[in-house]
Amino acid sequence: MLRPFAFLTMCLLFVASNNVPWALADTTDVLIPQNLLGLVHAPEVQTELELSDDQQQKLEALFEKLDGEWFRARVLPLEQQRSTIAKLEKQVLQWFEKNVTSDQFKRLKQLELQSLGMRLLLRPEVTRDLELDSGQQARLIAFAKEVNVATLQLQQATMKNEATQKHRNDLTTAVEAEQQALQSVLKPPQQMKLSKLIGKPFDTAQLKRIYPMAPELVAVDEWINSNPITLKELRGKVVILHYYAFQCHNCHANFEHYNTWHKQFPSDQVVVIGIQRPETSAERDPAAIRAAAKERNMKYPILIDLESKNWDAWANTMWPTVYVIDQQGYIRHWWQGELNWQGVTGDKTISDLVTSLIKES
């Protein structure tokens, strides 16, 4: 049974955050996740491809050039977002064509198809190779749309804290129907041909590092509690980075969690960084920012982003937002809003992730 790739979650969150009716889109390509970028970031995939140390170093250099644009694409309108990611995917494929063997490249394409789960059947080259007729294609598209609609409805309900068991059941039912299409839609010869097309099974659903390398901090004139620092010089440590405005009420609800993490985790393993980006005119005064940080007992490094250079580099959209960056400099999770809003446990989610990352090192 084909399993969908976890990076699909990120794609859905990108689009849902822009309130785009992507689930009802008529074009087939919108129903196909763009997983390649997340896939090649996963160490497990790089191992499966048997990339040499030199190949991995060159690939990471490519990520340094492309990942900022990839991460910022999450806030773009759907059409522009997909266009941007398609452009970046093309550059990645061109890199692989030039820097890996034909066997490695073939395996990469197999893993990409596997990562799509049943959506691989919507890819034009797969449709062509399996000789799917128009009736089969229509049924597959209908299944995909039902899953997307159920996913979007659950996400929207969850964000409003209104998710019910019915929402979850509807999604489960839609996913199961799409999974069963392998037997209900494809003919036996097509199933056999598909098996050869995707190669040896590889569980892409369990990959952990599937997000971009964190954008580097843009140099500014004002820091609190620290000399200017870069994320690159913090490699080897987990970084908890948060955007805030000191007069933002929602931000206030998170301040104690940041202080707790700063005290709780060893400084040689975890660093908390705050980025104060003004929302009001009063928050443009560095002296007022320093006074507020002292009042709130914020003793960790704080970057004062008066010109929004870092806000823009990260395409951040709201206060507060928290990012977790692993020891290799890759984003592993982010959380928008209050960490404990209406009973959610975002603080525990982040604490558990940081603890897990420390153990991985």
Side-chain angles (χ1 to χ4, degrees), residues 49 100-108 110:
L49 297 177
V100 305
T101 67
S102 58
D103 285 342
Q104 288 174 316
F105 189 74
K106 177 182 178 181
R107 185 57 177 157
L108 173 62
Q110 290 176 339

Side-chain angles (χ1 to χ4, degrees), residues 64-77:
E64 290 182 352
K65 296 178 181 179
L66 304 185
D67 279 10
E69 186 174 6
W70 176 30
F71 194 54
R72 288 187 289 273
R74 74 192 189 282
V75 302
L76 298 176

Side-chain angles (χ1 to χ4, degrees), residues 167-290:
H167 287 113
R168 289 182 279 272
N169 290 343
D170 287 347
L171 178 57
T172 298
T173 299
V175 169
E176 289 177 348
E178 186 176 30
Q179 290 289 322
Q180 292 167 2
L182 194 63
Q183 283 75 39
S184 64
V185 176
L186 267 60
K187 302 172 184 177
Q190 292 172 323
Q191 296 177 29
M192 292 180 61
K193 188 178 290 189
L194 177 61
S195 179
K196 293 180 181 180
L197 188 64
I198 64 177
K200 181 179 65 176
F202 181 83
D203 188 4
T204 57
Q206 300 304 314
L207 303 181
K208 296 179 181 178
R209 197 185 82 188
I210 55 174
Y211 296 149
M213 186 181 293
E216 184 54 87
L217 298 177
V218 181
V220 298
D221 296 330
E222 298 274 358
W223 280 79
I224 302 174
N225 301 325
S226 173
N227 293 321
I229 55 180
T230 65
L231 293 180
K232 198 154 193 175
E233 69 188 66
L234 294 177
R235 295 284 173 85
K237 299 181 181 181
V238 178
V239 178
I240 305 173
L241 182 150
H242 72 90
Y243 282 88
Y244 79 100
F246 74 78
Q247 291 186 324
C248 162
H249 175 75
N250 300 102
C251 297
H252 292 176
N254 286 355
F255 285 161
E256 192 54 42
H257 295 300
Y258 307 146
N259 290 339
T260 297
W261 292 330
H262 176 63
K263 298 174 185 176
Q264 171 187 354
F265 294 113
S267 60
D268 62 340
Q269 295 179 312
V270 179
V271 176
V272 177
I273 296 178
I275 297 183
Q276 153 70 43
R277 189 268 195 175
E279 182 179 14
T280 66
S281 57
E283 291 165 342
R284 305 195 63 81
D285 179 2
I289 297 171
R290 291 178 183 277

Side-chain angles (χ1 to χ4, degrees), residues 14 29 108 112 130 146 152 183 250 257 333:
F14 277 179
D29 66 311
L108 173 62
E112 183 190 13
L130 299 186
E146 288 177 7
L152 183 59
Q183 283 75 39
N250 300 102
H257 295 300
H333 183 74

